[in-house]
Amino acid sequence: MRNMKLAMSGLFLVAVVFALSTGGTGLAFQGIKTGFLRLVSVVALVGAAYIISGLAQVMVKPEAIQKWMGSGSGLRGALTALVAGALTPGGPYVFYPLAASLARAGVGMSFLLIYLAGKMVWDVWRIPMELALLGSTLAVTRWVFTCFIPILVVVLGITLFKKLPQTSQREKQ
Amino acid sequence: MILTTVFLVVLALVMAAVLFVRDRSLLIKGLLGSWQSLKEQLPLLLLAFALIGYLEVLLPTGIVKQYIGEESGVWGILAAGLMGAAIPAGPYIVFPLANTLALAGAGTAMLIAFLTGWMMLSLSHLPFELALLGPRFTLYRNLVFILMPLLAGLLVFFLSG
């Protein structure tokens, strides 16, 4: 997070210097004003998105997802993994440790692949942020044209990786 | 925009009501979690919007159109997918950026490839994945996922004519 802030601050400074050198203070001010107006236009949406994201973290517990995923096999297990991924709240610092604990519990590689595809493409808790910051037209287009991907991963995961049931992490233990 | 705002506010209220009935301490915990992540990410959010503002006024639409505009075809889709994968940032940066690229003339197929690349191949996920799931799984997953941004982009490209 700290590195990200430093990188963003650096980029911001570059943008300000570039604006000042090409269009003077007028352009530099216009950049800030445009960004500020964009932020103001979505401030209520962003606030609601953060509240939903925080409430989702306590409504859907990682332990429940873990228990749920351990209960299925075959196509049913694949679909369970897909839905579990879509319902897992939080960022990579939440879902990768969860995937690792699933791997340790013996969940196969193909199911982990499907779980991650569900999380990355069908993440329901990201929808508020998508609607708020991407705009409804682009967000809906994104969903329509990528919703098939996790299904494709189910097919690929089951056919390509059925001979590789465990992750390397589990093999190490 | 108003409809989306109403939908999200209603959803937040429904979730809060469910938690209020189920367990008030969970509601407080959830709201504190929201506040905590907003507090942590607020400087980034402000910087992201300031940068988006600058991109909007500085980014030459000609260049965006040339490289990832509707006319850029398969190469544009590929470039946008790689660009999405290379951005090590969260949704609060990537989504407004996609919006700005759209305003600057990026094609819809390219934007979908950009978003899919970010979602499925983000470089910022690599350290977590390597550390927690091992290099073999990381390699297999990325091999399976690598074609998805191109596939999604091509689907939009051909279906939208």
Side-chain angles (χ1 to χ4, degrees):
Chain A
M1 184 72 88
R2 196 167 166 268
N3 288 342
M4 180 60 77
K5 278 180 196 163
L6 280 174
M8 291 283 291
S9 306
L11 282 174
F12 174 69
L13 277 177
V14 170
V16 173
V17 170
F18 188 75
L20 281 170
S21 60
T22 53
T25 47
L27 191 62
F29 179 72
Q30 201 191 334
I32 291 279
K33 190 182 158 194
T34 309
F36 178 72
L37 289 177
R38 282 282 292 277
L39 179 62
V40 167
S41 70
V42 294
V43 79
L45 283 165
V46 172
Y50 270 94
I51 290 174
I52 292 167
S53 162
L55 297 182
Q57 305 263 357
V58 295
M59 274 181 118
V60 185
K61 290 206 161 64
E63 304 86 61
I65 301 268
Q66 194 176 351
K67 197 177 157 192
W68 195 35
M69 262 196 60
S71 65
S73 61
L75 187 61
R76 188 173 150 246
L79 293 175
T80 308
L82 208 54
V83 177
L87 291 176
T88 303
Y93 44 86
V94 174
F95 67 83
Y96 277 116
L98 184 59
S101 66
L102 290 167
R104 280 194 295 274
V107 169
M109 183 187 252
S110 53
F111 285 173
L112 287 184
L113 203 70
I114 294 162
Y115 167 76
L116 290 176
K119 170 65 190 170
M120 289 169 179
V121 184
W122 284 4
D123 187 349
V124 296
W125 305 113
R126 200 174 49 208
I127 295 174
M129 201 65 98
E130 273 188 272
L131 288 171
L133 299 176
L134 200 56
S136 49
T137 311
L138 199 50
V140 170
T141 312
R142 202 286 291 168
W143 269 86
V144 168
F145 287 99
T146 58
C147 65
F148 74 96
I149 289 176
I151 306 287
L152 187 63
V153 173
V154 169
V155 177
L156 287 172
I158 288 178
T159 51
L160 291 177
F161 296 120
K162 62 184 171 192
K163 288 181 184 167
L164 298 165
Q166 309 298 342
T167 63
S168 53
Q169 190 76 10
R170 183 163 167 80
E171 280 165 8
K172 278 184 219 156
Q173 292 168 354
Chain B
M1 182 75 96
I2 291 172
L3 258 179
T4 314
T5 311
V6 171
F7 168 72
L8 292 188
V9 170
V10 169
L11 181 63
L13 286 174
V14 169
M15 287 172 79
V18 169
L19 281 171
F20 183 80
V21 173
R22 217 167 76 182
D23 186 347
R24 282 175 206 190
S25 65
L26 274 183
L27 174 63
I28 293 166
K29 199 178 160 193
L31 289 174
L32 283 175
S34 305
W35 171 241
Q36 195 61 34
S37 49
L38 182 63
K39 212 168 67 176
E40 268 173 28
Q41 291 165 8
L42 193 63
L44 274 176
L45 208 61
L46 292 174
L47 276 170
F49 273 94
L51 266 176
I52 294 302
Y54 274 110
L55 275 178
E56 218 168 300
V57 297
L58 294 174
L59 202 64
T61 51
I63 288 185
V64 174
K65 278 184 182 157
Q66 186 187 343
Y67 288 103
I68 54 170
E70 294 290 358
E71 304 299 314
S72 61
V74 178
W75 289 111
I77 293 172
L78 206 59
L82 290 174
M83 204 169 111
I87 292 181
Y92 40 85
I93 292 169
V94 172
F95 290 152
L97 178 62
N99 212 320
T100 305
L101 290 174
L103 289 173
T108 311
M110 294 71 192
L111 287 169
I112 300 303
F114 169 78
L115 291 167
T116 314
W118 168 73
M119 286 186 302
M120 303 194 78
L121 301 166
S122 179
L123 286 180
S124 58
H125 288 186
L126 273 185
F128 290 102
E129 195 168 11
L130 281 169
L132 294 165
L133 293 167
R136 199 172 69 128
F137 179 83
T138 306
L139 178 69
Y140 283 134
R141 185 192 73 76
N142 282 289
L143 280 178
V144 173
F145 284 13
I146 203 160
L147 286 176
M148 302 303 170
L150 183 65
L151 248 160
L154 284 176
L155 193 69
V156 182
F157 191 70
F158 287 115
L159 286 181
S160 59

